[in-house]
């Protein structure tokens, strides 16, 4: 299959492919999504095949405005309050679903995740298709999410019907997923709409921590995610300590190709070519924006290991740490010290 690349002026063609049940990737304000008609079972099955995604990992359904959710889910007051505050924007809400939504879209759950993206191309595409669009991040399962059309093509060229090129997405981290079906609104995946922001509207919102032995509410969370080809290790400590620890490893292992994911503050001081700066510690938005393309950059450098500085904080930093933690599979410098000895 030839994957067509559309500009923002060719949305009619892209919408027509979607209406025919084909897959078209498109930009949102977070990452590129791999779109299909959310109510067309066969089209949705193609998403799972193209991504190599486990069938029990449900998809987010994208709508052009809050009112459109009535067709697919049972809404409530909290939903409309949050939609009013944060839509269009990087907030996904989980609601009880209606029967028109096929089982494949929700991974067999009786809930459905809905979101209205803040991106003119995405909104126009939904409008012209006239259907809600199911869209997971447009990467092969397990890989870093795409923040540019070129990343989508890296993973999906020849596999999907098209991609609309809208340049870099902006925020660069997926939406916050909030469960509105439990007693208290619960964050299942941290993202651009932070706990503090949610609490401003619903004071009882909480960050979801899965207790041991409890069933994972967001099935996607149990799978490997965002992984570059080389193993990634997080380095903890104060910023200066992190720098010293990474520097030691570069010096101790000159024969190894060790990639360094750095902040702007320390970037120039690492004596290696295998490095990239995510941005300044004082600007988490910049770090969020650059994270996934940085992970993909290390693939092109062909490094053997990646050591990453880490940041701490309460806002967007929570989402950044969540993604870094999962990209590393929970591994830290201690694991690196074992792994490098072979
Ligand atoms: O920013 C985003 O959310 C991007 C753009 C394209 O909109 N989409 C995205 O989709 O990140 P995906 O499929 O990569 O991640 C969806 C997450 C998964 O963790 C999935 O398990 C969770 O949302 N999810 C979807 N439906 C759910 C449901 N009914 N209940 C609980 N979690 C759900
Ligand atoms: Mg994803």
């Amino acid at each position: 299959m030839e994957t067509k690349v559309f500009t923002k002026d060719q949305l009619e063609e892209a919408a027509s492919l979607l209406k025919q049940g084909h897959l078209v990737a498109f930009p949102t304000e977070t990452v590129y999504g791999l779109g299909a008609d959310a109510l067309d079972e066969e089209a949705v099955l193609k998403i799972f095949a193209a991504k190599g995604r486990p069938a029990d990992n449900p998809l987010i359904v994208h709508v052009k405005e809050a009112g459109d959710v009535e067709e697919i889910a049972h809404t409530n007051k909290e939903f409309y309050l949050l939609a009013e505050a944060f839509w269009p924007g990087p907030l996904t809400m989980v609601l009880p679903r209606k029967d028109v939504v096929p089982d494949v879209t929700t991974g067999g759950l009786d809930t459905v995740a809905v979101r209205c993206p803040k991106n003119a191309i995405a909104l126009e595409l939904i409008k012209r298709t006239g259907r809600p669009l199911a869209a997971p991040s447009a990467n092969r399962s397990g890989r870093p999410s795409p923040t540019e059309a070129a990343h989508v093509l890296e993973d999906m060229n020849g596999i999907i019907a098209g991609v609309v090129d809208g340049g870099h997405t902006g925020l660069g981290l997926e939406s916050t997923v909030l469960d509105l079906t439990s007693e208290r609104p619960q964050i299942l995946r941290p993202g651009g709409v932070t706990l503090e922001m949610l609490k401003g509207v619903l004071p009882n919102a909480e960050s979801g921590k899965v207790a041991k032995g409890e069933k994972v509410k967001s099935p996607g969370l149990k799978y490997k995610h965002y992984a570059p080809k080389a193993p990634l290790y997080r380095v903890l400590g104060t910023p200066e300590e992190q720098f010293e620890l990474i520097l030691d490893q570069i010096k101790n292992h000159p024969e190894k190709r060790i990639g360094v994911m750095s902040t702007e503050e320390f970037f120039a001081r690492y004596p290696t070519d295998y490095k990239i700066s995510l941005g300044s510690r004082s600007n988490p938005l910049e770090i969020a924006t650059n994270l996934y393309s940085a992970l993909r950059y290390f693939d092109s450098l062909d490094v053997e290991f990646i050591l990453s500085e880490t940041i701490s904080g309460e806002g967007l930093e929570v989402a950044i740490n969540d993604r870094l933690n999962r990209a590393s599979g929970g591994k830290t410098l201690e694991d690196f010290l074992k792994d490098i000895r072979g």
Side-chain angles (χ1 to χ4, degrees):
M1 179 188 303
E2 189 210 340
T3 301
K4 289 193 180 141
V5 180
F6 300 113
T7 67
K8 65 174 183 357
D9 300 318
Q10 296 171 308
L11 296 185
E12 199 51 46
E13 231 184 300
S16 151
L17 286 172
L18 284 164
K19 281 192 248 183
Q20 293 165 47
H22 297 295
L23 304 183
V24 177
F26 60 88
T28 76
E29 81 281 32
T30 59
V31 301
Y32 275 76
L34 181 55
D37 178 345
L39 307 184
D40 176 342
E41 181 176 310
E42 261 177 58
V44 171
L45 281 171
K46 289 182 192 166
I47 291 183
F48 286 89
K51 282 187 59 97
R53 181 171 175 116
D56 69 349
N57 191 359
L59 306 178
I60 296 173
V61 178
H62 295 67
V63 295
K64 66 177 184 332
E65 60 199 18
D68 292 353
V69 172
E70 293 297 339
E71 184 196 0
I72 54 179
H74 297 280
T75 59
N76 54 31
K77 202 175 94 206
E78 286 77 18
F79 164 78
Y80 277 105
L81 284 172
L82 291 171
E84 176 70 23
F86 301 114
W87 278 13
L91 175 66
T92 294
M93 291 183 259
V94 175
L95 291 167
R97 72 154 160 163
K98 290 190 174 166
D99 288 343
V100 291
V101 186
D103 277 342
V104 289
T105 305
T106 67
L109 296 176
D110 51 13
T111 56
V112 61
V114 294
R115 130 168 160 88
C116 176
K118 190 175 184 169
N119 176 289
I121 292 175
L123 291 171
E124 186 62 25
L125 200 56
I126 300 167
K127 194 166 145 203
R128 292 197 190 209
T129 309
R131 309 282 280 184
L133 296 181
S137 50
N139 49 280
R140 290 277 302 166
S141 230
R143 300 264 301 138
S145 302
T147 50
E148 294 171 28
H151 299 161
V152 176
L153 290 170
E154 253 171 46
D155 284 15
M156 296 291 171
N157 197 12
I159 301 176
I160 62 174
V163 53
V164 183
D165 188 346
H168 194 284
T169 48
L171 175 60
L173 287 184
E174 301 85 346
S175 62
T176 304
V177 179
L178 183 73
D179 182 17
L180 288 180
T181 68
S182 42
E183 214 170 297
R184 291 172 61 180
Q186 215 188 24
I187 295 182
L188 301 180
R189 178 178 72 181
V193 175
T194 63
L195 179 62
E196 294 74 18
M197 291 161 76
L198 291 169
K199 279 187 164 165
V201 179
L202 300 180
N204 66 339
E206 60 182 357
S207 64
K209 296 229 161 37
V210 184
K212 269 216 172 102
E214 203 175 300
K215 194 170 159 244
V216 179
K217 266 235 162 165
S218 191
L221 299 183
K222 66 182 187 232
Y223 296 110
K224 182 177 159 192
H225 262 87
Y226 318 118
K229 288 178 182 152
L232 175 84
Y233 307 84
R234 286 172 310 138
V235 179
L236 308 172
T238 66
E240 195 66 37
E241 281 166 359
Q242 294 174 26
F243 167 69
E244 294 292 345
L245 286 166
I246 295 174
L247 188 62
D248 280 350
Q249 297 315 314
I250 299 174
K251 287 185 180 157
N252 292 348
H253 304 282
E255 76 291 359
K256 300 283 186 195
R257 288 196 310 282
I258 300 174
V260 180
M261 200 145 77
S262 150
T263 55
E264 197 54 43
E265 282 75 3
F266 298 103
F267 181 71
R269 293 163 66 189
Y270 292 111
T272 174
D273 291 334
Y274 307 122
K275 62 179 176 180
I276 190 164
S277 166
L278 293 174
S280 169
R281 284 176 177 271
S282 63
N283 188 352
L285 188 59
E286 185 184 15
I287 293 182
T289 299
N290 292 329
L291 181 62
Y292 290 139
S293 52
L295 291 173
R296 284 181 183 260
Y297 174 68
F298 284 118
D299 290 348
S300 70
L301 289 184
D302 209 19
V303 295
E304 295 164 88
F305 303 91
I306 304 167
L307 295 177
S308 178
E309 290 182 27
T310 49
I311 54 166
S312 55
E314 296 237 301
L316 194 54
E317 289 93 329
V318 177
I320 295 169
N321 282 328
D322 168 72
R323 303 308 191 276
L324 259 182
N325 189 17
R326 291 204 269 150
S328 69
K331 286 192 289 211
T332 61
L333 185 64
E334 285 174 23
D335 300 287
F336 170 81
L337 295 173
K338 285 180 213 144
D339 292 354
I340 198 156
R341 282 186 221 115

